[in-house]
């Protein structure tokens, strides 16, 4: 029974180390730095007008896709 617990503990420790190594990948993904703004222009031609704008403030190119 004692040998079984030792083997089980070793497997558990190896599993934890493996998970730590996999999750601690040195390659970090650069997230785009995008600023958004929703502006209310009030009533224009009898309708309420809103303007939504995006600005890429990061160094990397960012692509915006509007899917239907």
């Amino acid at each position: 029974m004692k040998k079984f617990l030792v083997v089980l503990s070793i497997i558990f420790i190896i599993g934890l180390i493996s998970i730590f190594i996999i999750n601690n990948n040195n390659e970090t993904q650069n997230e785009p730095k995008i600023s958004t703004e929703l502006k209310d222009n009030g009533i224009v031609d009898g309708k309420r007008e809103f303007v939504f704008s995006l600005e890429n403030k990061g160094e990397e190119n960012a692509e915006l896709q509007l899917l239907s």
Side-chain angles (χ1 to χ4, degrees):
M1 182 70 176
K2 200 171 193 180
K3 288 182 181 181
F4 176 73
L5 289 176
V6 170
V7 170
L8 190 61
S9 298
I10 291 172
I11 291 172
F12 180 74
I13 291 171
I14 290 173
L16 283 177
I17 292 172
S18 299
I19 290 172
F20 179 73
I21 290 172
I22 290 171
N23 288 338
N24 196 17
N25 194 354
N26 289 337
E27 297 178 22
T28 58
Q29 183 178 9
N30 293 334
E31 293 188 24
K33 295 176 182 142
I34 297 175
S35 143
T36 61
E37 179 183 16
L38 180 61
K39 184 178 175 185
D40 181 2
N41 286 343
I43 306 294
V44 176
D45 296 329
K47 297 180 182 178
R48 187 128 193 159
E49 181 180 273
F50 294 94
V51 177
F52 180 72
S53 62
L54 298 167
E55 182 180 355
N56 184 6
K57 298 199 177 233
E59 296 176 7
E60 302 287 329
N61 288 334
E63 181 178 330
L64 173 68
Q65 293 182 356
L66 302 173
L67 305 174
S68 59

